[in-house]
Amino acid sequence: MTPDSGLPDGLLRRAEIEPVSALAGQRQALRQRLLDGVSGAEVMAALTDFVDKLIVARYKNALRQAGEEAQVSGSQYCCLVALGGYGHRELAPYSDIDIMFLHRKNAGEEAQALFREVLHHLWGLGFQVGYCMRTIEDCIELAPGDITIRTAMMSARLLAGSPHLFKEFHRRYFRQVVGRGAGPFIDQLMDMRRGEYKKFGETIYLLEPNVKKSKGGLRDFHLLRWAGMTKFQAGTLQDLADRGFLSREDLLSLTEARDFLWRVRAFLHFEAGRAQEILSFDEQVRLASLHEFKDRPHLLGVEQFMQQYYRHTMGLHETMVRFLDRCLAGPVRSVQSAAKVDGYFVVTGQHLTVPSELRARVLDSPDLLLRLFEMAGSRRLKIDTDLLDEIHSHMNNMSAEAFRTPEVSRVFLKILAGPGAVASTLEVMHRAHLLEKIIPVFARVRGLMQFNHVHKYTVDHHTLLAVAKAEALAQDPGVIGNVCQEIKRKDLLHLAILLHDMGKGRKEDHCEVGKAIAEETAALLGCDEQETRTLVFLVHKHLLMAQIAFQRDPYDKKILLPFVRAVATPETLRKLLVLTAADISAVGPGVLNKWKESLLIELYLRALPEVSGEQDEPAGPERLKQLAGEVARECTEAAAGGLDWIESQLGQFPLRYLHGTSPKQIAAHLRAIGKLQAGDVLVEEHFNEELGVCEYSVITRDDLTPGIFSKIAGVMTAQGLQILDAQINTRTDGVVVDTFKVSDPDYAGVPPAERRHSTAATIVRVLKGEEDVERLVSRNTRLPSRRRLPTTRQATEVQIDNETCDRSTIIDVFADDAQGLLYAITRSILDLDLSVHAARISMREELDQVADVIYVTDQHGAKINDHTRLEAIRATIKKDIDQFIDQQVAASEGVVIGSSK
């Protein structure tokens, strides 16, 4: 051993001669230890020791080689201090190293040269170093105005140099900085953390969380520790627990969460070879395997691993919030003599609590507990933090059977009915583990992840968020808001939303499992036959409205009437609309866009007259005359031809076009048709602000070129546009009116006019044969904008539906998303000598796949009925899609965005 270094001679010499390889060897050894099962804490402590010894050895080496004056200065007037995570001995494998050169004002330039020697050595090792040179006075002056400096120096630890100087710093810093202004400092910490939440994720349930800075990450633990040091002068979790500021249950929960996150973070760093804090999909799969989680038929290993991750981060975050509430609580106000509400509860300001002499009785009474939460929700009060802690702890001693009383059911349904903060009340009940006593299945879905790009949240968080979205929809000024306000039984609506995804995470279809859960819950809550029937239908068929609205034609009676029969009543239709909108909205930000909302409203408005028996709209020739008059008022050029001409034009369009196209747009189409000459291609384009989409109408003749729809889809692909809906109308006179609704991901709002004009001009050139669509697509196709999942891709499905529609054969395609997929499908359909009449694009959310629905006929406009040909069509389209996606995957190998690795 080298004197004073604590390092083996060989290792020290290697570190001096080959510092990078020495550190690499140490990291490799620690990585193996981590794989062998040691904790993240052990890895961090070992690396901290290694770096400590290197720094101390280099400092003392430099001190010995310096002159006498520098040696005196270096040992008496200055010292090296570790800060931040390094100061806490929590150095992750590739974390930055924060050090401070603390010196007295009379330390000479020679002493500072010692510090530079250490810095150069650390840089030579490849570390990112945060450093500063300060006096004690500097520290005390700077810390109050900079929260980063203040928190970093709270973990100061002496490495080398004058122990007397460090002790003086520590004493003065904690007396003059740390021990003062606890309340404002904690407020600053919370403001800082809220800023990090906005940047790194405001929900615990991110798909790819930052293990350090996302909500529930290690920074929440740091926040709790800083607050404890400031408020109670307690430096560790154990100190807080020993002094009664942290319960033993919270101590255990925090310790387990911290150690779990430390280990995950160490794995991330070692795998990346750098300070990687993002728990990516690839890493989730890898770590699930390392932790020996195995795939089950109904639950992937990675979903089990992430369920554990979310449970730890949720526990960490909730404990931190409760602890900060205690830190910021003012002097305890006596509630013993305060007037009691309902005989047991006391309201002080915006807080609700229970006097100590009544707590045991309330905690042991499910009826009183439910009344407590109902009062908090209806009056928008916050339940006292300590009381919530007691409820949480007490739930372990209470059985679900104790909550099977008529009073519990009555009050729970009252909570669900509102008005009041329904979702936030349910969320607090869930955090206290009380909700699962009433709906037992909630315990199983706590932290249950859905491993796909569509769902952004765990099942329990998605469900509670959906209830909040339904409450928010009631304030919406549009159609859905009006519908929501008309719903009579909000309790049944919110209960259905609460249960709609409870069947997830099991082998069977979650809708079928949900049906059974709804039946059981209705019985537990004492619902009557009609209430049970409504609840079970809403849970069992919660996907029905979206499937029809997004994937079928609601103007087809063969589609509309079965939906109407299933829904049965206007009240159930209203509930189903709001449930569907809330469910989609709670999947993730922006998932319920204006376009999807319009499709749901369209189906609702089509079904409402049928289900209510109030059909006021004229039918047949009368409706045609009425529409012709409306179009004439929008178009003077068309009106010049007379109403008979307008009616004759309208009579050549299908019903879907007449009902689904505004009179203003019809008038624009008729103007174009009136000007159409042989060989012409006319494109009408505008931005639909109400729907937030661009609309392109292409008017030409069907004999201009084969595969008109396919070529237009190719242009949209090349332009980077996403087709949401396409209506293909080929009239008996050969006039084609194809209308596309598309989103333009390059622009958050209205795309520039030149962008839309460019797309329209490109469509014209391609259809006229002036530009080859294949070359256009290959030249302009971009890298996929969406990051792919790291697992093997989902199997492509192609289904033929020949029963739903009398006029067309429906082809349903479910495939992994890839730019140009719709173009690939339409090329395949064109090669099969089929004509496309409509297309609608959506997501198959449970499998994270695109759902493309194409209505086709043969070249004569007839439905395909030959079973052999139908099977050949299905097999060919599937083969072509798989080949296309395989080519896309192969082309993107090694690319970070869109990589399939």
Side-chain angles (χ1 to χ4, degrees):
M1 300 287 289
T2 300
D4 302 321
S5 73
L7 283 171
D9 293 343
L11 181 56
L12 181 58
R13 283 194 297 273
R14 184 184 173 196
E16 288 288 338
I17 299 168
E18 301 178 77
V20 176
S21 63
L23 181 60
Q26 178 72 356
R27 282 175 170 149
Q28 185 59 41
L30 290 175
R31 178 176 188 168
Q32 187 56 52
R33 289 182 62 192
L34 190 68
L35 290 169
D36 291 341
V38 304
S39 69
E42 290 176 274
V43 168
M44 291 191 301
L47 184 60
T48 302
D49 286 342
F50 179 81
V51 174
D52 280 357
K53 291 171 181 177
L54 288 179
I55 291 176
V56 171
R58 176 51 62 105
Y59 183 81
K60 291 184 176 180
N61 244 0
L63 198 61
R64 280 193 296 270
Q65 295 171 16
E68 183 177 341
E69 186 176 343
Q71 291 182 19
V72 172
S73 181
S75 60
Q76 296 182 17
Y77 303 130
C78 58
C79 59
L80 280 179
V81 180
L83 303 176
Y86 179 38
H88 272 298
R89 301 181 58 79
E90 296 167 4
L91 189 61
Y94 287 87
S95 286
D96 296 353
I97 292 178
D98 294 321
I99 56 174
M100 174 172 67
F101 183 70
L102 185 67
H103 62 91
R104 296 194 188 277
K105 291 181 180 179
N106 59 348
E109 174 62 30
E110 295 85 356
Q112 295 184 18
L114 297 175
F115 186 45
R116 288 194 291 270
E117 179 72 16
V118 173
L119 282 179
H120 286 298
H121 185 52
L122 291 174
W123 289 331
L125 285 167
F127 281 112
Q128 296 292 320
V129 183
Y131 64 93
C132 58
M133 301 176 67
R134 293 186 181 129
T135 64
I136 295 175
E137 290 73 20
D138 292 336
C139 296
I140 292 171
E141 181 182 347
L142 292 171
D146 190 315
I147 196 167
T148 302
I149 294 175
R150 179 169 178 166
T151 54
M153 289 195 290
M154 287 170 72
S155 60
R157 177 172 60 86
L158 178 65
L159 291 172
S162 171
H164 300 291
L165 176 62
F166 180 77
K167 286 180 182 177
E168 182 184 346
F169 157 77
H170 191 271
R171 176 179 54 79
R172 289 180 60 186
Y173 188 76
F174 271 77
R175 188 181 70 243
Q176 295 177 241
V177 178
V178 177
R180 292 186 178 179
F185 173 60
I186 293 172
D187 286 337
Q188 277 185 290
L189 289 174
M190 294 170 68
D191 286 342
M192 177 193 73
R193 196 70 183 106
R194 280 189 283 267
E196 289 179 335
Y197 292 156
K198 287 182 179 179
K199 184 175 181 180
F200 296 99
E202 297 193 71
T203 174
I204 287 166
Y205 304 110
L206 290 176
L207 265 71
E208 296 183 302
N210 184 305
V211 297
K212 183 178 179 181
K213 294 190 176 180
S214 291
K215 184 176 282 191
L218 285 166
R219 187 63 89 209
D220 279 359
F221 162 66
H222 299 155
L223 195 67
L224 185 150
R225 184 165 59 188
W226 291 328
M229 292 173 72
T230 298
K231 180 72 175 179
F232 306 116
Q233 292 74 54
T236 67
L237 296 182
Q238 190 64 54
D239 287 345
L240 289 169
D242 290 344
R243 294 168 60 188
F245 301 124
L246 201 63
S247 70
R248 294 294 165 182
E249 183 182 40
D250 282 344
L251 173 64
L252 178 62
S253 171
L254 282 171
T255 302
E256 288 180 350
R258 178 199 65 189
D259 292 350
F260 175 82
L261 290 174
W262 276 347
R263 196 160 196 270
V264 168
R265 190 183 185 206
F267 273 121
L268 293 179
H269 279 218
F270 279 134
E271 180 67 13
R274 57 185 176 85
Q276 171 60 272
E277 312 295 353
I278 303 297
L279 184 55
S280 66
F281 282 119
D282 296 311
E283 284 301 300
Q284 290 169 27
V285 172
R286 189 177 71 87
L287 291 180
S289 177
L290 287 174
H291 285 78
E292 298 185 345
F293 286 98
K294 305 296 183 186
D295 287 352
R296 302 176 193 164
H298 60 289
L299 200 61
L300 297 173
V302 66
E303 292 175 331
Q304 298 167 54
F305 168 72
M306 289 306 293
Q307 189 170 27
Q308 184 181 71
Y309 177 90
Y310 292 132
R311 282 175 174 169
H312 280 309
T313 52
M314 171 58 85
L316 171 56
H317 179 72
E318 290 181 352
T319 303
M320 183 270 291
V321 170
R322 293 197 304 271
F323 182 77
L324 293 187
D325 281 347
R326 290 192 201 98
C327 289
L328 294 173
V332 178
R333 296 173 59 182
S334 174
V335 297
Q336 311 303 322
S337 59
K340 296 177 181 62
V341 180
D342 209 9
Y344 295 92
F345 313 118
V346 172
V347 178
T348 56
Q350 294 300 307
H351 287 76
L352 177 64
T353 190
V354 174
S356 57
E357 73 273 12
L358 296 174
R359 284 204 175 183
R361 185 170 179 183
V362 171
L363 289 172
D364 286 333
S365 170
D367 293 357
L368 291 176
L369 285 173
L370 263 291
R371 282 161 60 186
L372 171 74
F373 283 94
E374 190 279 325
M375 183 178 294
S378 62
R379 300 191 182 192
R380 300 184 185 277
L381 300 172
K382 182 178 180 181
I383 299 175
D384 178 70
T385 299
D386 289 334
L387 178 57
L388 276 178
D389 282 352
E390 290 187 57
I391 294 171
H392 184 189
S393 299
H394 200 67
M395 286 303 101
N396 293 328
N397 304 318
M398 297 190 76
S399 67
E401 286 70 27
F403 288 78
R404 304 289 172 257
T405 71
E407 179 65 8
V408 165
S409 298
R410 183 190 70 80
V411 179
F412 182 59
L413 290 173
K414 187 178 179 182
I415 290 172
L416 291 172
V422 178
S424 59
T425 303
L426 294 172
E427 185 179 355
V428 176
M429 292 172 67
H430 183 44
R431 290 208 312 266
H433 290 233
L434 188 148
L435 184 58
E436 63 202 49
K437 299 297 180 181
I438 304 169
I439 303 178
V441 72
F442 240 88
R444 194 185 57 78
V445 300
R446 182 184 296 274
L448 180 61
M449 178 196 185
Q450 302 173 77
F451 193 63
N452 60 52
H453 273 289
V454 180
H455 286 88
K456 305 300 182 188
Y457 312 118
T458 56
V459 173
D460 55 336
H461 184 67
H462 161 76
T463 301
L464 293 169
L465 184 59
V467 176
K469 295 293 185 182
E471 287 187 279
L473 285 171
Q475 309 305 315
D476 187 89
V479 173
I480 296 181
N482 293 333
V483 169
C484 195
Q485 292 169 20
E486 292 174 3
I487 293 174
K488 298 181 177 66
R489 292 290 303 274
K490 295 285 199 326
D491 54 343
L492 287 180
L493 168 66
H494 293 145
L495 182 57
I497 296 173
L498 206 59
L499 298 178
H500 79 280
D501 270 354
M502 290 298 103
K504 288 195 170 178
R506 302 195 189 184
K507 184 178 180 180
E508 302 82 7
D509 177 84
H510 84 279
C511 294
E512 297 300 325
V513 176
K515 178 183 178 183
I517 290 171
E519 291 169 343
E520 294 166 8
T521 303
L524 290 174
L525 295 177
C527 295
D528 63 29
E529 185 177 340
Q530 179 58 45
E531 293 167 340
T532 300
R533 188 161 46 246
T534 300
L535 179 66
V536 171
F537 171 80
L538 291 171
V539 175
H540 185 213
K541 298 296 182 182
H542 71 270
L543 298 177
L544 178 63
M545 194 166 196
Q547 289 169 343
I548 293 176
F550 301 160
Q551 300 174 20
R552 291 295 183 265
D553 180 0
Y555 294 91
D556 189 326
K557 288 287 187 180
K558 287 193 68 176
I559 292 170
L560 183 64
L561 293 181
F563 173 72
V564 167
R565 284 194 293 270
V567 172
T569 69
E571 178 71 4
T572 303
L573 178 63
R574 294 185 191 101
K575 289 187 177 73
L576 185 59
L577 172 65
V578 175
L579 186 158
T580 304
D583 182 20
I584 296 170
S585 184
V587 166
V591 176
L592 182 65
N593 53 33
K594 292 180 180 179
W595 168 242
K596 289 180 181 177
E597 188 176 320
S598 74
L599 295 178
L600 292 173
I601 292 170
E602 180 183 46
L603 176 57
Y604 170 80
L605 294 176
R606 287 287 297 158
L608 185 60
E610 298 283 351
V611 79
S612 64
E614 300 175 359
Q615 300 183 52
D616 298 326
E617 185 179 282
E622 290 184 26
R623 171 57 185 154
L624 210 59
K625 284 184 179 294
Q626 178 181 320
L627 182 58
E630 294 170 2
V631 171
R633 286 191 290 273
E634 294 286 347
C635 178
T636 55
E637 297 98 316
L643 287 178
D644 290 342
W645 181 84
I646 295 177
E647 281 187 48
S648 70
Q649 294 294 319
L650 296 180
Q652 298 186 67
F653 284 103
L655 182 65
R656 172 71 178 82
Y657 174 88
L658 299 178
H659 280 284
T661 311
S662 68
K664 184 175 182 178
Q665 191 168 14
I666 293 174
H669 293 166
L670 293 186
R671 276 195 297 268
I673 291 171
K675 295 185 291 185
L676 188 66
Q677 301 294 320
D680 272 355
V681 178
L682 304 176
V683 180
E684 299 278 339
E685 56 80 15
H686 74 285
F687 182 77
N688 187 321
E689 292 192 14
E690 184 180 352
L691 301 181
V693 300
C694 294
E695 295 184 356
Y696 293 88
S697 295
V698 181
I699 298 96
T700 186
R701 303 192 74 85
D702 64 349
D703 59 0
L704 178 71
T705 181
I708 291 174
F709 174 64
S710 178
K711 289 176 179 177
I712 296 173
V715 172
M716 299 299 184
T717 295
Q719 296 284 96
L721 304 176
Q722 180 188 357
I723 297 176
L724 303 172
D725 183 77
Q727 291 300 322
I728 314 302
N729 300 294
T730 304
R731 308 194 320 179
T732 54
D733 61 357
V735 171
V736 171
V737 180
D738 291 353
T739 303
F740 295 81
K741 290 182 173 67
V742 306
S743 67
D744 192 337
D746 286 350
Y747 299 93
V750 183
E754 57 268 22
R755 163 77 161 170
R756 305 196 306 271
H757 296 338
S758 172
T759 300
T762 306
I763 292 172
V764 172
R765 290 197 305 274
V766 166
L767 293 186
K768 287 188 173 183
E770 297 169 3
E771 189 163 0
D772 182 73
V773 69
E774 284 289 341
R775 280 200 294 271
L776 182 70
V777 170
S778 62
R779 184 174 69 242
N780 292 350
T781 297
R782 312 167 180 190
L783 291 174
S785 60
R786 218 174 73 166
R787 188 187 182 283
R788 301 193 62 76
L789 289 170
T791 51
T792 303
R793 68 181 183 83
Q794 297 284 350
T796 299
E797 289 184 43
V798 178
Q799 300 172 1
I800 302 293
D801 177 0
N802 228 23
E803 303 299 323
T804 301
C805 183
D806 289 330
R807 303 182 308 276
S808 304
T809 295
I810 303 174
I811 302 174
D812 290 294
V813 175
F814 305 102
D816 287 346
D817 196 5
Q819 188 185 2
L821 176 63
L822 182 60
Y823 175 53
I825 294 170
T826 58
R827 277 191 308 171
S828 182
I829 289 172
L830 177 62
D831 292 342
L832 288 164
D833 291 326
L834 301 176
S835 294
V836 176
H837 289 265
R840 187 160 280 186
I841 316 303
S842 61
M843 290 298 298
R844 191 185 196 185
E845 293 177 353
E846 67 274 17
L847 290 179
D848 193 28
Q849 289 184 309
V850 168
D852 288 352
V853 182
I854 319 287
Y855 284 67
V856 302
T857 64
D858 63 20
Q859 291 295 334
H860 304 292
K863 185 176 178 178
I864 300 103
N865 290 305
D866 182 87
H867 291 290
T868 303
R869 189 180 180 199
L870 287 171
E871 176 54 27
I873 290 170
R874 189 201 66 78
T876 300
I877 294 174
K878 182 180 184 306
K879 175 180 68 67
D880 291 345
I881 291 171
D882 283 334
Q883 183 177 354
F884 169 76
I885 293 178
D886 288 343
Q887 290 171 349
Q888 294 291 103
V889 170
S892 64
E893 283 291 340
V895 180
V896 174
I897 299 178
S899 173
S900 62
K901 292 191 296 183

